[in-house]
Amino acid sequence: MAEASAPAKAILLGEHAVVFGEPALAVALDLRTRVRIEGRGTSLMVNGEPLQDKLRLPHVHHALGLTGEPWGPLAITIESRVPGSAGLGSSAALSVALVAALLQQKGLAPSPRDVARLAFEVELGVQRGMASPADTSTSAAGGAVLVDSVEGPGLLWSFERSGRRWFLHRLEAPELPIVIGNTGHRAPTGEMVARVAQGVKRDPAMAATVRELGDLARQGTKALAAHDVPALGKLMDRAHEGLRKLGVSTPRLDELVQAVRPHSHGAKLTGAGGGGSIVALTDKPREVSEALKAHGCMPILTRVTPRGLEAGP
Ligand code: MEV
């Protein structure tokens, strides 16, 4: 039997821009996905529900291929506390935990770097080639991660794809309280990324916004290094405006961001947008939660966790 777990993530600054080589700042959240594999029968259980066809979960299909088919009998059990299609890296957490458990089942003891690389490949398969390694590497590494196109201090690993190179760095981060407001509207990441990519190709103003978002992530890295959480929050507020300009916010995301701002250092949509969630950086999590509830949204109170990929029960 093999078992592995991996955390969700929230991007604090730089989503979408990171796909074009700009930096992004992401943190692992204290919400985990756990995968257990047994070499008997053939079944796939997701949160207690059986799935008949393994192809119905593309992650499983891609991960099986990347970790060395042919496979014999496999019973895969997935338990996840990460809401799906909510901008919280449910797909990345699943890819990381699944790849790690499959490699373990083959008798290997993979490093977080090896798992992050293969999980990135799984994401590229699932998102039709449009993904950065931000989500998968943050899930594998835990804590706070800076993704950049240039190498800097704290390098974890780097990956290359289609002429683009991403350097993943470890950042020191306190266990910041984070409140998530999930709109419950699902928006597939691949589609959102493709839509932004088309816009950036056509419209120089959108390309400029992508660079601005990258610049906010650079400033955010400095704010985090200086433990200046209020400054980090202000940058997040500005990033939300940039993401609006890219067309990935929605009226509901804007409403929730406005609702929590009075109690937050900063708040913005997180992840691909088009639905999904907002993230609030706050030292008043209770007030933020109440504000979300008053707007008909169930809050998720969590925090930045140093725990990344963990193998074994
Ligand atoms: C999704 O969580 C983040 C995006 O930047 C896509 C990616 O980096 O793969 C929108």
Side-chain angles (χ1 to χ4, degrees):
M1 190 185 91
E3 194 164 320
S5 73
K9 68 88 191 63
I11 297 188
L12 299 185
L13 293 163
E15 52 271 269
H16 285 291
V18 68
V19 176
F20 302 93
E22 293 294 332
L25 184 53
V27 291
L29 299 180
D30 204 12
L31 300 166
R32 298 184 78 80
T33 294
R34 187 170 300 280
V35 174
R36 195 173 64 242
I37 295 182
E38 287 161 285
R40 57 159 177 79
T42 301
S43 62
L44 176 58
M45 295 283 287
V46 182
N47 287 343
E49 297 283 332
L51 278 193
Q52 299 305 334
D53 178 358
K54 73 175 196 265
L55 296 183
R56 278 183 53 203
L57 204 56
H59 299 78
V60 173
H61 168 66
H62 288 288
L64 288 176
L66 282 160
T67 49
E69 279 175 310
W71 284 93
L74 276 185
I76 303 178
T77 307
I78 299 167
E79 296 289 341
S80 184
R81 286 192 55 221
V82 188
S85 300
L88 301 177
S90 62
S91 171
L94 174 58
S95 300
V96 168
L98 189 56
V99 163
L102 284 168
L103 292 176
Q104 248 188 85
Q105 182 68 12
K106 281 218 175 293
L108 303 170
S111 66
R113 179 196 176 282
D114 290 341
V115 173
R117 183 178 60 78
L118 283 170
F120 176 38
E121 295 291 329
V122 173
E123 292 286 278
L124 286 166
V126 173
Q127 293 182 32
R128 291 173 291 145
M130 305 283 287
S132 79
D135 294 10
T136 37
S137 282
T138 304
S139 182
V145 169
L146 169 70
V147 190
D148 207 344
S149 58
V150 290
E151 184 177 340
L155 183 72
L156 285 164
W157 48 69
S158 72
F159 298 130
E160 208 168 336
R161 185 76 184 199
S162 313
R164 221 179 259 301
R165 187 143 180 212
W166 289 276
F167 294 88
L168 290 301
H169 305 84
R170 153 81 57 238
L171 296 178
E172 290 312 315
E175 292 193 17
L176 303 166
I178 298 260
V179 181
I180 300 291
N182 180 3
T183 61
H185 303 148
R186 300 165 79 91
T189 300
E191 269 171 41
M192 298 306 294
V193 171
R195 205 196 291 175
V196 171
Q198 275 169 12
V200 165
K201 219 189 273 172
R202 274 199 315 264
D203 181 357
M206 271 180 80
T209 302
V210 161
R211 288 193 296 276
E212 276 166 32
L213 287 168
D215 199 45
L216 294 175
R218 272 181 210 98
Q219 294 178 49
T221 306
K222 289 188 191 140
L224 197 59
H227 295 274
D228 191 344
V229 178
L232 182 59
K234 286 199 184 80
L235 294 163
M236 288 168 61
D237 286 348
R238 286 170 59 192
H240 185 74
E241 297 315 307
L243 291 163
R244 275 167 54 94
K245 283 198 228 160
L246 288 188
V248 297
S249 192
T250 64
R252 179 67 170 154
L253 286 165
D254 293 344
E255 177 194 340
L256 296 181
V257 162
Q258 290 302 333
V260 301
R261 277 206 177 133
H263 316 289
S264 306
H265 296 299
K268 59 183 271 294
L269 74 83
T270 187
S277 303
I278 66 146
V279 55
L281 190 61
T282 180
D283 45 23
K284 296 182 194 139
R286 205 168 294 157
E287 284 89 333
V288 169
S289 298
E290 290 308 317
L292 287 172
K293 283 187 204 156
H295 283 257
C297 174
M298 274 312 285
I300 303 174
L301 281 92
T302 181
R303 54 180 49 251
V304 176
T305 177
R307 292 172 56 202
L309 165 65
E310 290 178 354

